[in-house]
Amino acid sequence: MKIIVVWISRRGFGVTLWLPPPRCLILVRCHLLRRPVVSDQAKTRDQVKETDQKGNDRLEKPPDAIQIRNATPEQRDAALDAFTNKFDSMSDLLAIGEKGQSFGIKHDDGKVETTEQKKRHKIAEDLPPTSIMAVALTPEVEARTKAQKQAKHGLISESATHMALEATGNPAMQPVAMVRKHADALPDSDPQKQKLTELSRELAAEYSPKMRERYAQERPTNTPEGWLTVVQKISQLPMDKQFQVLGAGLMPGIEQYQHDERERAWGGLIGTVQGTGEVAQGLAKIADFGAACILGDNERAGKMGDEFGAALGQSIVGGVRLFEAADQYLFNIGYTGDYAKPFRDVVAAGQKLDAQWNQVPPREQERVKAKLITELLESGAIGAGGAGAIQKASKFTEVLDAVAIEAKALHAAAKPGIKKAAKAINNAVDELVQPVGDTGIGAKMPIPKRPMKDETKMLMSKADDLDDGRPRRLDESGMKREPITDKFPPSKRFVAELQQVVEGLSDGERSFLANNDVTIKPIRRVADKFPEQNSLGACYDQSENTIYVAEEVPQLGKFVPNYDLEFGFRHEFGHVYNAKFDSLGAWISDDPGFITAYRKDIAKLPPQTLDELQLSTKFKSVVRARDEVFADSYAHSIGLTSNNSYSQKMKQAFPNCLRYLEEI
Amino acid sequence: MTAEKANEKDRFTRLQEKLAMLPRCTPEEREAFAAEREASKGTMNESAMMLDNGEIAVKTWCHGHDGVIGDGWLQFLPTDDDYEKAKQEYGLNKPGDNYYVIKKWVDGEWVVQEEKRPDKPETGKAKSA
Ligand SMILES: [Zn+2]
């Protein structure tokens, strides 16, 4: 519940804004009149007395009488600023009046009185004014007011100005405008700043139809999607315009004139000025990272790595060829251009990435590229062309610019998987940007944030407490009906055997599993984990996102070594790949193309074959039948030679499905 | 091996590229398919067939009530010690013979819904080969 009380009394007016905890009671007082009208309760008796005296003193000193004229826009601007100032700013304005300058109080009927006239008319007993106007300022006062305005303008956001304007005709907006002004004046580090800013927006939307409409027209740029929308708009601009927008954005956003510059450049060129702060902050972080590289502050650069990577990821998938733009700016405009500094920082950031990339062994480079390509393809940020360009790129910055080109062409920013794409780039950058530390042998080298892992080991879950490696041959009566995977672990020999099979996966396949957090777990028997599915040799548990591969399978009352381990594992990989390829959850076997292939194949099969292959509908649903055909076709498509006759028969029966995965 | 692996890696990447460019099912279809998959939980298929060379190939497929999906394969060659036992187990006497059983998970246990044994009167709707 929010309560706004506007006080109007003979002695002045004020506004009380009450909000439920943890928000606060905000008292706003208007000092146009003889004395402050609120907050007396919060002050000591002496403070009240002192304030009253100050107010009276100001009014006791008669200002020079002047003619009231229509104010110029600039004067109105000054008045607006004064209005939105905090109370002491109002006092300043009144103090200007004390020095003989002119201020008038405008009433609803349009009549304007000077403070002198006001005094004569015992203003304390008058109705409150609706606005104040600065009139006929002398050059000196004008300069002073302008200086004050410029000093304070840096702290006034565009929203605050609009709120203040709205407040001139909408009393309910007066306290809101003041709250916003107060919020803008707070340092960024103050936690109240964000809260009060949001509060002011909320209240403004509630009490001002005009503000509500204004907010509705704003682009949602304070969300990751908005971020990408802005970046995508930037990427569509001609390069010279991108220079302006990126250059302004790359400038550290602390100085107000830079903020204004950015607002102008962005507002004019991309038509979006509201909420672009996060984009600018992101770009500034990229520049800051580069600046740290130029200074040789690798430690700082390393610490900034995460933010740098995140900002870079979003820029790139938004289609901005940041490094290309920086190169072109410095080449075309030179090192003395307005934005030479931030673009030099970007170039430095790129050089840092390329230098780190060069230190990565070629095999690792291929791994990082493959992982990046896989993730970007999945997200829809790139297509085949992009994948090829990434593979051909020798420098890391070329990799990133290749992604940006492709992402721009595909309008990747509008795709649902785009956050994943940005994260993929962040991850790739993360592998290169590491704090530098002493190796202990006198050389400083990047310290990996996490040791480069053997992906096979990473994929394979730990099989602790292995036994002596001899597979046990127990009859079926020895099976327990509760999970006993820890009690009866697989043999070391089997773990090694499975590890070899996993190592046989291609880099892309391993990356796929790693990116999808799929774990591979060797177990003695499936029944150890899933007592009800005891006859299986391998399975995929979606709830644990784990492929279990059993060392032993039951056969006619005894347990024997798992048959055709490699093919079985690839088949399970096929199930996982089918289910997890699409980040939105569409299975490949449900693709229109695969369904067509499946129907073509199945139309040629006699019922007995369908029964032999367990594919007629009495065995399983059609979607599950397609999934099974997909998994088997996947294992065949990679060229595995298997003695598994059942699967050989599947291969012969589904040539079109196999072709769906083979013709690449 | 290295060259093979490199080719394989390229193959997977190419597959990713190809599939990424192909149309997916619609969101409505996606939901319908997911529902169909969900409904098929608690099903187990086991089948065995005798091939022309006398080999018996066995396949087990299960979509557990808990959502686990898995497979099992067995192979019995005429030279194996267990070959005769396998023939009896599945009722297979000659190439082309086919055995299967379909089970459903009902009240905490697998219940046979349909079984076809070439050497015995079948249950359910299946007919002898
Ligand atoms: Zn399967």
Side-chain angles (χ1 to χ4, degrees), chain A residues 571-572 575 628 631, chain B residues 59 61 70-71:
Chain A
H571 176 102
E572 298 310 320
H575 278 305
E628 190 59 18
Chain B
K59 167 78 192 288
W61 174 92
D71 306 85

Side-chain angles (χ1 to χ4, degrees), chain A residues 538 571-572 575 624 627-629 631-632, chain B residues 59-62 69-73:
Chain A
H571 176 102
E572 298 310 320
H575 278 305
R624 278 293 174 200
D627 175 42
E628 190 59 18
V629 170
D632 234 58
Chain B
K59 167 78 192 288
T60 305
W61 174 92
C62 179
I69 187 143
D71 306 85
W73 294 267

Side-chain angles (χ1 to χ4, degrees), chain A residues 548-583:
Chain A
Y548 290 94
V549 185
E551 179 175 5
E552 300 173 0
V553 292
Q555 177 183 298
L556 303 176
K558 65 183 179 186
F559 279 90
V560 298
N562 198 349
Y563 170 70
D564 206 357
L565 186 64
E566 186 165 17
F567 188 89
F569 174 72
R570 293 288 187 150
H571 176 102
E572 298 310 320
F573 179 95
H575 278 305
V576 177
Y577 184 51
N578 188 26
K580 290 190 166 289
F581 168 78
D582 182 72
S583 55

